[in-house]
């Protein structure tokens, strides 16, 4: 019963995470018309860091003695590089659904990383499923170049940059396992990412910001809802689940992003996106089922010879 309750708790946590995280692709696109991506992210991560620091002080959370380097590096990858790639892809015209679809390849990339550093027998069916996932994304990307998805080689490159940042950041975090308090975790990672984003903004952007209600609402949701809410849930999952399993939850992100973008931004999925998504879903199902470790077989029960008394049995 305790195991079932724990599994239910993890499943609910993953579901809420997927919904909030998927909304981040829409929330970012909602505010990007009024600010450049690096400045947007510098404001977002800076606000997140300030809020978390206030909570740390109010709750008197103890600061760890070590592990800050791992937190900073994983944070820059997991939040900074990932967000910069995704937000520039959105800024350059990619729809949230397609951006989330590219990020949905993250489980495949993490699986490959885990396979490299851990002894694992490679089987044919999971490999074919991985190839199927790549084919699905290729269909979406290639056909989308001629569709209303606004895909270009440049925003596709930024989308895959975000994928690499998220995958390597999650894998590095779980491999090093800093073990800091969730608030410390978020503060260090958001603060370091804010600094990197600000440097990028000062170097590459003009600093044009229009403080509209849409931008403020977008920044508020991304700072509190996504950077604090969704990422805290992600850290909880990363501490209780394996890297492969945590990565698998990202399969639901494109669905959440697409469903939220439809009413909020009026972006109806195109035929090529639906076809590509269907190919990926089938590949994911095959991959999940075929990559599960085989269940241990129970040894057959040895019949008891009742003709011998218990005291005389060896």
């Amino acid at each position: 019963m305790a195991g079932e309750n724990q599994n239910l708790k993890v499943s609910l946590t993953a579901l809420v995470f997927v919904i909030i995280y998927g909304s981040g692709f829409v929330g970012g696109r909602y505010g990007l018309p009024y600010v450049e991506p690096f400045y947007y992210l510098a404001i977002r991560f800076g606000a997140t860091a300030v809020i978390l620091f206030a909570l740390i002080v109010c709750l008197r959370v103890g600061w760890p003695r070590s592990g800050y380097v791992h937190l900073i590096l994983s944070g820059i990858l997991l939040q900074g590089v990932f967000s910069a790639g995704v937000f520039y892809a959105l800024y350059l015209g990619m729809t949230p659904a397609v951006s989330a679809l590219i990020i949905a390849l993250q489980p495949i990339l993490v699986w490959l990383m885990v396979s490299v550093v851990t002894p694992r027998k490679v089987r044919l069916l999971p490999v074919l499923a991985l190839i199927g996932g790549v084919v699905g994304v290729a269909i979406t990307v290639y056909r989308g170049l001629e569709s209303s998805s606004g895909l270009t080689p440049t925003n596709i490159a930024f989308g895959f940059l975000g994928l690499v940042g998220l995958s390597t950041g999650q894998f590095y975090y779980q491999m090093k396992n800093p073990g800091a308090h969730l608030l410390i975790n978020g503060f260090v990672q958001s603060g370091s990412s804010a600094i990197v984003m600000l440097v990028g903004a000062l170097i590459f952007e003009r600093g044009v910001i229009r403080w509209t209600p849409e931008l403020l609402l977008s920044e508020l949701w991304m700072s509190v809802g996504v950077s604090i809410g969704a990422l805290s849930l992600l850290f909880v999952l990363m501490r209780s689940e394996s890297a492969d399993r945590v990565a698998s939850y990202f399969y639901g992100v494109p669905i959440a992003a697409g469903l939220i973008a439809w009413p909020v931004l009026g972006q109806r999925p195109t035929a090529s996106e639906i076809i590509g998504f269907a190919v990926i879903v089938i590949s994911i199902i095959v991959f999940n089922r075929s990559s599960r470790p085989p269940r241990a077989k129970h040894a057959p029960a040895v019949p008891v010879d009742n003709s011998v008394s218990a005291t005389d049995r060896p």
Side-chain angles (χ1 to χ4, degrees):
M1 182 63 70
E4 293 179 358
N5 291 336
Q6 178 64 22
N7 291 335
L8 178 60
K9 182 179 178 181
V10 171
S11 298
L12 291 175
T13 302
L15 177 62
V16 176
F17 161 73
V18 166
I19 294 173
I20 299 177
Y21 204 78
S23 72
F25 291 84
V26 181
R29 183 65 181 271
Y30 190 69
L32 280 176
Y34 312 101
V35 63
E36 294 163 299
F38 276 135
Y39 275 104
Y40 182 101
L41 292 172
I43 296 169
R44 168 192 168 182
F45 291 133
T48 300
V50 170
I51 295 171
L52 290 175
F53 183 76
L55 290 174
I56 291 170
V57 174
C58 292
L59 298 176
R60 298 181 179 179
V61 177
W63 294 86
R65 296 182 178 179
S66 60
Y68 291 103
V69 173
H70 298 317
L71 283 176
I72 291 173
L73 290 178
S74 63
I76 291 174
L77 290 170
L78 183 62
Q79 298 193 41
V81 174
F82 161 67
S83 297
V86 168
F87 274 64
Y88 255 102
L90 296 174
Y91 183 70
L92 297 174
M94 182 180 288
T95 64
V98 175
S99 178
L101 191 61
I102 293 175
I103 297 304
L105 289 175
Q106 190 241 10
I108 297 174
L109 205 53
V110 172
W111 181 86
L112 292 173
M113 293 177 184
V114 173
S115 299
V116 169
V117 301
T118 60
R120 172 183 291 183
K121 183 179 179 181
V122 178
R123 291 180 288 173
L124 179 61
L125 194 55
V127 173
L128 292 177
L130 295 177
I131 296 174
V134 175
V135 170
V137 172
I139 292 173
T140 303
V141 170
Y142 175 74
R143 299 297 300 173
L145 289 172
E146 301 174 354
S147 71
S148 61
S149 298
L151 292 181
T152 65
T154 303
N155 61 28
I156 290 172
F158 275 112
F160 277 93
L161 174 65
L163 169 65
V164 173
L166 178 64
S167 303
T168 54
Q170 182 213 323
F171 181 74
Y172 181 82
Y173 178 89
Q174 293 197 258
M175 182 177 64
K176 296 300 182 180
N177 191 20
H181 190 280
L182 285 178
L183 296 179
I184 302 292
N185 226 30
F187 169 73
V188 174
Q189 293 197 343
S190 296
S192 57
S193 297
I195 294 173
V196 174
M197 295 301 103
L198 181 59
V199 171
L202 293 174
I203 295 175
F204 299 107
E205 295 178 348
R206 296 174 299 169
V208 178
I209 303 176
R210 288 188 289 161
W211 294 101
T212 64
E214 290 82 1
L215 175 59
L216 293 175
L217 180 61
S218 175
E219 291 280 15
L220 177 63
W221 175 247
M222 295 299 293
S223 299
V224 179
V226 178
S227 289
I228 296 179
L231 288 180
S232 294
L233 295 176
L234 177 60
F235 291 134
V236 170
L237 291 171
M238 286 195 292
R239 291 181 178 182
S240 60
E241 300 279 82
S242 66
D244 287 10
R245 191 168 182 84
V246 172
S248 70
Y249 298 134
F250 284 85
Y251 293 143
V253 171
I255 301 175
L259 292 178
I260 296 171
W262 194 342
V264 174
L265 300 176
Q267 294 176 344
R268 179 177 298 182
T270 64
S272 61
E273 292 169 11
I274 294 174
I275 293 172
F277 181 72
V279 173
I280 288 180
V281 168
I282 295 172
S283 302
I284 286 167
I285 293 174
V286 174
F287 172 73
N288 274 344
R289 292 184 176 181
S290 60
S291 61
R292 290 174 182 170
R295 294 182 179 179
K297 297 181 178 180
H298 297 286
V302 179
V304 178
D305 185 1
N306 292 323
S307 63
V308 182
S309 63
T311 56
D312 294 333
R313 292 175 195 162

